[in-house]
Amino acid sequence: MKVKFATSNPHKVREGNLVGKKFGMEFIQIKQSYPEIRDEDVSRVAEEGARFVFDRVKEPVIVEDTGLFIEALNGFPGSFSSFVFRKIGNDGILKLLRGEKNRRASFISAIGYCDENGVKIFKGIVGGSIADKKRGVEGFGYDPIFIPINYKRTFAEDPDLKARVSHRKKAFQKLCEWLISGSKKA
Ligand code: IMP
C-alpha cells in the first residue's frame, strides 16, 4: 500500500518508511506545499496541512508536523520549531539554556492523514533532554542536541536509536497499524 507524504524533508520520508516497510507500506514524497497555520498544537498544524493538500491532490495523503518542547522555556519553541531553527538554530537554543539545570525536553510528532472521509491524527512523543553541546552528524534539525530519556547519545550520534524510540517512529507506527487494520472505514 502506498500513501503520499507531502513534505520537503527527505529525512522524514526515510524515517517513515523504516516503519512502513514492516507493515508493507510505502510513503511517497510529494512536494505539494501547504500553509502552516499558527497554532501551539502540532496536531492542528498537521490537520489543516493534510486537509489543504488532500483538496489539491484528491488522493489519500499525510502531512507531519513536529515540535521540540523545552520545559525550562515553557514549551518553546514547540510548534514554532521550524521558524526558530531557521532563526537561531541549535546554537541559539544552547545559548538560551546556558547555565540551566533543567534540560528536560520532548519531541512531539503529529501526522495528519486525510482522505475522502476527513482527517485523522496520529501522535508520537519522546521525552529526553537537551545536551550541553551539539554532538553527532546524522539526522537533521535538532537531532545533535536531543538525548532521549534513558540514553546517553544524541539522535545525531545514534540514528538507529532514533529509529527505535523517536516521536516520528511512534506516530508512524500508530498510523500504519490503523491503515492495515482497515479502520479508516470506521
Ligand atoms: P517541521 O515538522 O518540519 O515543521 O519541523 C520543525 C522543526 O523541527 C524543523 O526545524 C525541523 O528541522 C525540526 N525537526 C523536525 N523533526 C525533527 C526530528 O526528528 N529531529 C530533529 N529536529 C526535527
Side-chain angles (χ1 to χ4, degrees), residues 23-178:
F23 292 86
M25 305 263 334
E26 192 182 351
F27 299 100
I28 311 286
Q29 181 175 17
I30 59 166
K31 291 197 174 155
Q32 168 72 52
S33 59
Y34 54 90
E36 281 200 12
I37 62 159
R38 282 196 188 195
D39 196 294
E40 289 199 32
D41 184 352
V42 287
S43 298
R44 289 278 303 124
V45 180
E47 181 182 344
E48 289 309 315
R51 222 187 293 282
F52 181 95
V53 177
F54 177 74
D55 282 346
R56 273 146 195 85
V57 304
K58 310 279 187 214
E59 277 183 74
V61 67
I62 59 167
V63 160
E64 192 252 20
D65 197 65
T66 286
L68 174 65
F69 296 77
I70 299 174
E71 197 173 283
L73 304 178
N74 292 326
F76 179 86
S79 65
F80 303 98
S81 292
S82 174
F83 173 75
V84 171
F85 189 80
R86 280 199 309 276
K87 293 292 178 193
I88 65 171
N90 286 324
D91 291 328
I93 295 290
L94 291 174
K95 216 170 177 176
L96 288 173
L97 289 181
R98 199 172 286 160
E100 175 61 58
K101 292 224 163 37
N102 175 9
R103 307 194 67 91
R104 280 195 294 271
S106 52
F107 270 123
I108 301 180
S109 161
I111 300 172
Y113 170 90
C114 190
D115 63 13
E116 64 284 358
N117 299 313
V119 185
K120 193 152 165 63
I121 299 291
F122 302 87
K123 277 174 96 167
I125 179 164
V126 60
S129 61
I130 301 297
D132 291 329
K133 57 182 171 62
K134 289 185 282 186
R135 296 198 324 244
V137 295
E138 305 292 333
F140 66 99
Y142 298 104
D143 281 348
I145 61 167
F146 186 82
I147 304 168
I149 196 161
N150 297 329
Y151 295 92
K152 292 200 160 54
R153 280 148 61 90
T154 66
F155 275 166
E157 289 179 300
D158 195 340
D160 293 337
L161 172 63
K162 185 178 188 191
R164 290 201 306 278
V165 305
S166 85
H167 48 306
R168 186 161 298 108
K169 186 263 161 132
K170 291 172 183 166
F172 269 94
Q173 177 99 18
K174 288 181 189 168
L175 168 70
C176 290
E177 283 168 2
W178 180 76

